[in-house]
Amino acid sequence: MSGAAGPGPGPPAGPGRSPLPCAPRPAAALQLGGGAEPARPGVAVIDLRFPRGAAADVQEIVFRNFYTAFLSVRVQRPGPTGSRRWVTCLRDYCLMPCPHTEEGSQDYFSLRRHQMLCDMDQVTAVRFILRQPSPVWLHFTIEELQIFPPGQKSPQKDFPSWLSQLTPPEQPASLHGVGSVGTIAIVPGSPGGTSHPATPLPEPRAIQPIRAISAPQHRAHFFQELPDPEKVSTEVQQMWVLTEVIRARQAAARIGRFDVDGCYDINLLSYT
Amino acid sequence: MLDPDSGLSLTIARIVQRLKGSSLHSQLERQARVSLHKPEIKLESLKEDIKDFLKTSGWEKKLQNAVYSELNVFPSPCHPAAPPEHMKEPLAYMRKAQGSWEKRILKSLNSMCTELSIPLAQKRPVNEQKELLNKWNEMGTDEPDLSLFRPVYAPKDFLEVLMNLRNPNYENGEQPSFRSHLGLIQVPLKVKDIPELKEDFSELGLNIGQLGIDDSAQVPPEFFENEHVRVGQKVLAEQDSAAAQQYVRQGCPTALRADLWALILNISNQPEDILYYEQLKSNVIQHDLLVDSLIYKDVKLTASNDDYYFVFEDYLYQVLLCFSRDTSVLEHFTYSSATPPKSYIRGKLGMEEYAVFYPPNGVIPFHGFSMYVAPLCFLYHEPSKLYQIFREMYVRFFFRLHSISSHPSGIVSLCLLFETLLQTHLPQLFYHLREIGAQPLRISFKWMVRAFSGYLATDQLLLLWDRILGYNSLEILAVLAAAVFAFRAVNLMEVTSLAAAEAVLADLSTLKVMPLLQIFLFATVT
């Protein structure tokens, strides 16, 4: 379950990433002691603990801002002596460059491990200190808080497959040994990019020599009239490569049809 | 937000994906394949040799221009956790306001339909198709009865909506305090002040030559004009979009303007583009849309009555009718806060496979829409090229002038920028106008919504649009509006009513745009 510190559902986790379960308490504004009516101090705190006192390593914190200007983050983790202590890992991170105006007020932010001042291992609790010095805003908080542990790489699906192919050099018809028949780099995965704007750039996979599905050497001697199995498998692989290329080459250009089967008779507009 | 590395790779991935299916991609491949026959391409260094060949033959430059165009048009990628509506408009209350405004427009269009008993779209009967095809080049001679049609909305209706825009999380108290705005716009968007504008528009400075100032009759052309024209010809020879964009910040020589704008907007008028335009033309002939009558009415009311633009009436129909059928315009809705109106084929209400957008390009024209096209008719005479230039200008700039968004070039930010500039630098004038009930934005709104088209003389307007292209931003419209008020401040201080203030500012056709901008930005004592 993803933590939500305010109204609104949490966003879906990215492919292959699941947030750590946690239960943040809603933002509590700091109060000056002894005040009769509640003032608006401009500072609020969100405390977040992992269930059952578990400790976790933190890779990334993702949230949506709601009119918070500056954010500080403290984590509770075991110190050098072994006992748990609070350490500041982010100090006065600016979310809204100009706190009186809307810039950055409802944007999504990521805080990564390498931006933090301290180590983010074995964290038992996280405290977010929100500051909004401008008095023009009625409420401020952060929402859709999600904490991600390290080590989850998004699996390589949904990238457009591209292939670099060199035609394999003509091998002499050696039926001895199962040599590699040229090098063809194949990038597995479903081809054809979706129109998702956040498709990551595909990393070229290691070039793997494709071994021919060849018969063992001794059998080839007996079946010399049959086509060379290595040659056939190369051609089959080339054809497969070509079909992959064509499938990946889905044109992004639209065809431009706005009608449905030649018919574009419309009476009224729909409101939904 | 996004740290620079992941932001960069997301941008690269997006641009690669967008360019992959384009005709440029297949042309590059064809060129690469053709180059294999050349002797200098060797098998051992195939990749490098082909790259060098593409560089020397100018194809790499075309690719660079395409990438630059994509970077200019699309905003930087959002955080991966952000939903698509966040890219359209990050602020929730603005999305809501845009949604209600669109609903009002839909209701208005639907009620017009039911009153006049005309369907929104229908197939044209064959004899009508033939007739339209015959008089395609002279549609202006048609005099259909448009008296029952009325524009869906006018800029002043839109201004009323913007005035009522409120952030529910902002303290909009009843008493005026430091947090309430004195102008009409009450949302706290970030706008630039004059020091920031000076830095952004540094090429308009006093010590830098400008067309519109330093090419006047009194200045010998050797000082600036000749050299500037020479540089412009060189930029055109190099065919470099980014260099052209930098160049036009100082203005375009008239002879080079058409080509330079096409270079900046990356329009090359290939055979497939001409074919695409012909396809749109056939769509116009086949289907009759209610929106066509709205376009006719708008052209007859605005451009045909204008001394400069009435000669281009036929061109305007040819461009705007095709524009309504162009589904490629739907792509701009990913980064616009607006949503295209939806409808269903007659008799198939609610069935998703019969859901269509109406009009096919998703843009409902309003009163004055044809004025976006009219100035371009001075530059381009071939209908398909004129069409492409207009379409590109619309999906880059003009759509921001009639949708509610927090973008710095959106109309809300422009209005706030205008009011803030006026209030900060001409406080007496601002106070006086406010006291007599003539809020300055009521007068300048219509100028900004139309990007000053129809209000300035054409040569001045084109100099202004040079800078819009050069800086890839519409903020210059707000600065010019404030500069016009500053120029006529003395007369405005003496008026006592809104009508009198409108009269002082009714005729802008004698104004020279560049001196006004330069004085307001760089020569006013702050």
Side-chain angles (χ1 to χ4, degrees):
Chain A
M1 76 188 152
S2 59
R17 300 209 308 172
S18 47
L20 293 169
C22 54
R25 305 206 207 107
L30 281 185
Q31 294 296 335
L32 300 169
E37 73 273 356
R40 282 201 291 148
V43 185
V45 173
I46 295 181
D47 257 337
L48 194 149
R49 284 178 190 279
F50 298 113
R52 294 179 290 279
D57 300 339
V58 173
Q59 171 76 14
E60 192 178 348
I61 304 176
V62 174
F63 61 90
R64 180 158 65 92
N65 187 16
F66 189 77
Y67 294 96
T68 304
F70 301 101
L71 178 68
S72 301
V73 182
R74 306 193 86 205
V75 291
Q76 189 186 43
R77 58 186 297 271
T81 53
S83 64
R84 293 198 290 206
R85 29 193 286 275
W86 285 96
V87 184
T88 305
C89 60
L90 195 68
R91 186 169 288 133
D92 277 344
Y93 184 68
C94 179
L95 301 176
M96 285 170 65
C98 182
H100 295 298
T101 65
E102 295 269 9
E103 214 179 327
S105 57
Q106 297 190 23
D107 283 341
Y108 286 80
F109 289 90
S110 263
L111 304 173
R112 291 196 176 83
R113 216 179 153 94
H114 63 83
Q115 291 170 276
M116 305 294 190
L117 298 168
C118 72
D119 226 347
M120 299 287 282
D121 291 324
Q122 296 303 307
V123 165
T124 40
V126 188
R127 177 169 287 166
F128 297 90
I129 302 169
L130 318 174
R131 289 206 300 119
Q132 175 49 273
S134 168
V136 301
W137 310 110
L138 297 173
H139 306 288
F140 65 94
T141 180
I142 56 178
E143 297 172 342
E144 298 175 25
L145 256 179
Q146 289 184 309
I147 303 197
F148 292 98
Q152 290 174 356
K153 276 203 139 9
S154 46
Q156 289 271 359
K157 48 181 161 90
D158 282 335
F159 52 73
S161 62
W162 53 270
L163 303 143
S164 70
Q165 178 199 352
L166 297 173
T167 38
E170 277 297 305
Q171 296 265 355
S174 147
L175 305 164
H176 298 277
V178 193
S180 59
V181 192
T183 42
I184 304 174
I186 305 283
V187 186
S190 56
T194 57
S195 57
H196 197 289
T199 315
L201 194 64
E203 297 152 30
R205 289 293 181 87
I207 297 185
Q208 294 152 5
I210 305 296
R211 295 188 178 274
I213 323 154
S214 69
Q217 303 165 6
H218 61 275
R219 244 203 275 162
H221 284 297
F222 294 102
F223 295 100
Q224 289 204 1
E225 298 80 29
L226 288 176
D228 173 24
E230 301 215 1
K231 196 146 164 270
V232 165
S233 57
T234 319
E235 280 167 23
V236 164
Q237 279 161 10
Q238 276 185 323
M239 275 203 290
W240 182 76
V241 158
L242 271 175
T243 48
E244 287 291 299
V245 168
I246 291 175
R247 235 195 307 161
R249 196 74 60 71
Q250 284 167 7
R254 297 162 159 266
I255 299 179
R257 302 296 305 269
F258 56 81
D259 51 350
V260 178
D261 298 332
C263 173
Y264 193 67
D265 291 349
I266 299 175
N267 270 342
L268 289 176
L269 295 170
S270 133
Y271 293 128
T272 46
Chain B
M1 273 225 284
L2 275 184
D3 63 349
D5 302 321
S6 54
L8 183 61
S9 32
L10 273 179
T11 311
I12 294 176
R14 187 199 74 214
I15 294 182
V16 164
Q17 192 155 34
R18 276 188 62 81
L19 289 180
K20 241 192 167 150
S22 66
S23 65
L24 179 65
H25 185 214
S26 35
Q27 279 173 334
L28 280 171
E29 282 191 338
R30 205 181 309 138
Q31 287 296 315
R33 227 174 295 131
V34 157
S35 75
L36 288 175
H37 298 301
K38 294 203 184 304
E40 56 261 17
I41 310 285
K42 305 216 176 2
L43 197 59
E44 306 87 59
S45 53
L46 189 67
K47 209 166 168 187
E48 294 309 316
D49 287 346
I50 292 190
K51 272 201 217 166
D52 287 333
F53 166 74
L54 289 176
K55 205 176 286 194
T56 47
S57 56
W59 281 96
E60 196 199 38
K61 191 53 83 130
K62 291 202 176 68
L63 181 61
Q64 264 182 354
N65 289 347
V67 171
Y68 191 66
S69 170
E70 293 289 326
L71 282 174
N72 266 345
V73 173
F74 276 82
S76 36
C78 280
H79 194 276
E85 60 256 19
H86 196 263
M87 173 138 97
K88 287 163 75 78
E89 172 48 57
L91 301 180
Y93 72 92
M94 287 229 178
R95 289 199 292 264
K96 204 153 156 245
Q98 172 69 18
S100 351
W101 168 239
E102 280 170 2
K103 212 163 178 176
R104 259 177 70 179
I105 299 178
L106 295 191
K107 284 203 172 113
S108 167
L109 200 55
N110 273 350
S111 64
M112 199 191 318
C113 263
T114 31
E115 270 173 43
L116 303 176
S117 326
I118 299 180
L120 282 178
Q122 61 187 358
K123 210 162 172 104
R124 232 184 271 270
V126 178
N127 53 338
E128 242 187 74
Q129 287 187 22
K130 281 211 189 79
E131 212 186 303
L132 187 57
L133 190 56
N134 285 339
K135 58 171 172 57
W136 177 257
N137 287 325
E138 20 167 76
M139 281 187 273
T141 53
D142 222 8
E143 292 286 344
D145 179 19
L146 300 169
S147 50
L148 294 169
F149 290 99
R150 48 178 199 279
V152 182
Y153 65 97
K156 59 177 172 1
D157 304 318
F158 191 46
L159 178 60
E160 293 296 323
V161 173
L162 297 186
M163 277 165 49
N164 292 325
L165 197 57
R166 294 285 185 278
N167 181 347
N169 196 34
Y170 192 76
E171 219 173 309
N172 297 305
E174 289 308 313
Q175 274 86 11
S177 67
F178 73 92
R179 59 194 70 149
S180 55
H181 300 253
L182 290 176
L184 292 176
I185 304 290
Q186 297 290 325
V187 287
L189 294 173
K190 173 91 175 72
V191 290
K192 300 188 174 135
D193 53 7
I194 288 214
E196 284 171 317
L197 288 169
K198 267 190 188 164
E199 209 176 299
D200 280 352
F201 294 117
S202 54
E203 288 87 351
L204 302 181
L206 294 167
N207 51 347
I208 300 181
Q210 301 292 330
L211 284 185
I213 300 175
D214 300 293
D215 57 337
S216 67
Q218 295 91 13
V219 180
E222 300 87 50
F223 278 173
F224 169 70
E225 203 182 341
N226 287 349
E227 179 63 20
H228 193 63
V229 173
R230 213 181 53 79
V231 171
Q233 284 160 340
K234 197 151 174 246
V235 167
L236 274 178
E238 286 292 308
Q239 286 288 300
D240 188 330
S241 280
Q245 192 161 332
Q246 179 67 29
Y247 173 78
V248 305
R249 292 180 181 186
Q250 291 173 268
C252 266
T254 321
L256 306 177
R257 183 173 276 131
D259 293 323
L260 279 167
W261 283 21
L263 181 56
I264 295 173
L265 298 171
N266 205 31
I267 306 279
S268 47
N269 211 24
Q270 303 282 322
E272 56 256 22
D273 301 318
I274 302 179
L275 208 59
Y276 189 74
Y277 177 74
E278 291 297 319
Q279 185 190 329
L280 291 177
K281 182 173 153 184
S282 71
N283 286 340
V284 174
I285 307 247
Q286 280 186 350
H287 296 277
D288 183 18
L289 304 183
L290 180 69
V291 168
D292 295 349
S293 311
L294 296 177
I295 292 173
Y296 270 110
K297 179 119 190 169
D298 184 44
V299 172
K300 293 274 185 224
L301 282 178
T302 54
S304 303
N305 285 334
D306 193 303
D307 294 333
Y308 294 109
Y309 302 123
F310 72 92
V311 288
F312 299 122
E313 192 180 338
D314 299 322
Y315 278 122
L316 294 177
Y317 295 126
Q318 291 176 25
V319 166
L320 286 168
L321 293 181
C322 292
F323 181 63
S324 299
R325 271 83 168 164
D326 193 350
T327 50
S328 66
V329 176
L330 291 173
E331 285 172 7
H332 92 279
F333 286 107
T334 47
Y335 52 87
S336 162
S337 60
T339 315
K342 214 171 92 165
S343 183
Y344 296 92
I345 300 286
R346 187 180 306 152
K348 310 271 192 240
L349 189 63
M351 294 161 68
E352 276 318 303
E353 51 282 11
Y354 291 94
V356 289
F357 291 122
Y358 181 86
N361 71 344
V363 178
I364 297 185
F366 54 92
H367 177 68
F369 193 82
S370 52
M371 295 307 283
Y372 290 142
V373 192
L376 302 173
C377 299
F378 275 102
L379 300 174
Y380 303 97
H381 306 294
E382 215 227 294
S384 77
K385 195 156 187 195
L386 171 64
Y387 174 74
Q388 285 173 71
I389 296 274
F390 165 64
R391 179 183 60 187
E392 193 62 30
M393 296 268 302
Y394 181 82
V395 300
R396 279 196 199 204
F397 305 114
F398 296 146
F399 76 94
R400 297 201 192 276
L401 294 173
H402 62 90
S403 52
I404 304 178
S405 102
S406 59
H407 193 270
S409 272
I411 188 69
V412 187
S413 302
L414 295 184
C415 291
L416 190 59
L417 176 61
F418 163 73
E419 289 187 322
T420 313
L421 285 176
L422 208 59
Q423 194 180 334
T424 316
H425 298 284
L426 295 156
Q428 266 194 314
L429 175 65
F430 192 87
Y431 182 75
H432 170 73
L433 288 173
R434 205 168 159 263
E435 287 295 291
I436 62 171
Q439 277 272 8
L441 187 60
R442 286 196 192 276
I443 305 173
S444 64
F445 186 72
K446 53 188 186 291
W447 303 338
M448 293 193 283
V449 163
R450 279 205 205 162
F452 283 89
S453 172
Y455 297 104
L456 295 174
T458 327
D459 59 329
Q460 297 300 311
L461 181 73
L462 292 173
L463 286 170
L464 178 68
W465 286 17
D466 282 339
R467 271 71 179 191
I468 293 181
L469 281 168
Y471 290 100
N472 201 32
S473 139
L474 293 165
E475 285 160 328
I476 197 126
L477 297 176
V479 180
L480 179 61
V484 169
F485 271 72
F487 184 60
R488 299 243 170 114
V490 174
N491 293 10
L492 284 169
M493 285 302 286
E494 293 174 10
V495 300
T496 49
S497 71
L498 175 60
E502 302 243 18
V504 168
L505 293 166
D507 184 13
L508 307 182
S509 55
T510 51
L511 291 183
K512 298 270 178 272
V513 157
M514 298 318 300
L516 280 180
L517 283 170
Q518 229 181 33
I519 292 174
F520 186 76
L521 283 175
F522 294 97
T524 307
V525 175
T526 48

